[in-house]
Amino acid sequence: MTLTEHLEELRWCLLRALLSVFLISTLCYIFSAAIFAVMVAPLVAHLGPGQSLIGTGVTEAFFIEIKVALLAGLVFASPYIFLQIWRFIAPGLTGREKKLVIPFVVCATLFFAAGSYFCYRIVLPVAFKYFIEQYETMGVAPAIRVAEYFTFFFRMVLAFGVTFELPVFTFFLVRVGVWDYRFMIRSLRYAIVVIFILAAMLTPTPDIINQSLLALPMLVLYVASIGVAYVWRK
């Protein structure tokens, strides 16, 4: 394929992925209120009596419903998005490597879901408990805007979902010979620095608690990826 043909294929892959997100988001908009109730559960569990999220704009609720539907659409369309990623890189693979499409899509989807669920069930409750306690120590009643909460939730869940893809992409990069476990071991000290920089960039608030909650799982996943690279070495 020429460069123009690769760009054309990239364009169609992006359009198909965006179309899938749009269609599923349209369906999710019907259930946006129920989905939002699930999203705010980790925070509501730590709010005191009479405390709740607040809205400060006339159209804020409407746009939040749209954003909730888009987030749900992105999550539910992730298998098809991973399929489009595979379709784009497939021309550069051998015949035997192309047969890994189903394992790639299934594993990438499962790890993305696992990362998102880990953030929702483990990381967010710990983070919200800590932040609410900080309000209490200052004697201040928290009044958290719904738009700010959604931004925080979206960035944290997406960051953990993408981070958990590391073992999956390590497996396929090892199989096609891009890197190996020796290279990953030699690069460990550099990886630690890069991981903490990425954690600082991806977390919505610049505090050590949030950064550590993201950086530590990333370090564990990097070490696990070294094991994956060793087991599946060529």
Side-chain angles (χ1 to χ4, degrees):
M1 296 176 66
T2 64
L3 176 61
T4 303
E5 290 171 337
H6 276 296
L7 293 175
E8 181 68 14
E9 181 63 21
L10 175 61
R11 184 172 73 91
W12 281 107
C13 288
L14 289 174
L15 287 175
R16 285 190 289 263
L18 290 174
L19 179 61
S20 67
V21 173
F22 174 77
L23 293 176
I24 297 178
S25 296
T26 302
L27 179 62
C28 290
Y29 182 78
I30 303 173
F31 309 98
S32 58
I35 297 173
F36 183 73
V38 175
M39 288 175 52
V40 300
L43 174 63
V44 172
H46 297 286
L47 293 177
Q51 297 176 350
S52 63
L53 290 167
I54 64 169
T56 58
V58 176
T59 61
E60 192 171 19
F62 171 72
F63 285 109
I64 287 298
E65 288 181 339
I66 294 178
K67 291 178 181 179
V68 168
L70 287 173
L71 175 59
L74 180 64
V75 171
F76 290 123
S78 58
Y80 189 74
I81 294 174
F82 291 127
L83 177 61
Q84 294 308 309
I85 294 175
W86 183 268
R87 290 188 61 174
F88 177 68
I89 65 174
L93 303 178
T94 64
R96 188 173 65 175
E97 291 166 351
K98 291 179 181 179
K99 296 179 181 179
L100 296 173
V101 54
I102 294 179
F104 172 79
V105 173
V106 172
C107 292
T109 302
L110 291 177
F111 274 79
F112 181 80
S116 301
Y117 185 76
F118 176 80
C119 178
Y120 178 81
R121 295 293 298 179
I122 305 298
V123 176
L124 290 181
V126 173
F128 292 145
K129 183 176 185 297
Y130 171 77
F131 292 140
I132 296 301
E133 287 178 351
Q134 296 307 301
Y135 275 109
E136 294 175 352
T137 57
M138 297 173 61
V140 177
I144 303 170
R145 288 185 57 210
V146 63
E148 293 177 352
Y149 175 83
F150 176 84
T151 300
F152 181 89
F153 182 92
F154 173 78
R155 292 186 62 177
M156 289 292 289
V157 170
L158 185 62
F160 273 87
V162 173
T163 298
F164 271 60
E165 297 292 342
L166 183 58
V168 178
F169 283 97
T170 297
F171 168 79
F172 287 95
L173 289 173
V174 167
R175 296 304 295 170
V176 300
V178 175
W179 64 24
D180 57 20
Y181 71 95
R182 296 184 183 89
F183 170 77
M184 298 184 70
I185 293 175
R186 291 196 303 268
S187 305
L188 179 59
R189 54 184 177 179
Y190 304 108
I192 293 174
V193 176
V194 172
I195 283 172
F196 274 93
I197 292 175
L198 288 175
M201 294 171 59
L202 292 174
T203 48
T205 53
D207 60 90
I208 192 63
I209 300 298
N210 268 335
Q211 293 173 18
S212 299
L213 288 174
L214 178 57
L216 292 178
M218 290 175 70
L219 287 173
V220 173
L221 288 168
Y222 186 86
V223 174
S225 297
I226 295 176
V228 170
Y230 177 78
V231 172
W232 294 100
R233 65 192 184 280
K234 299 190 69 172

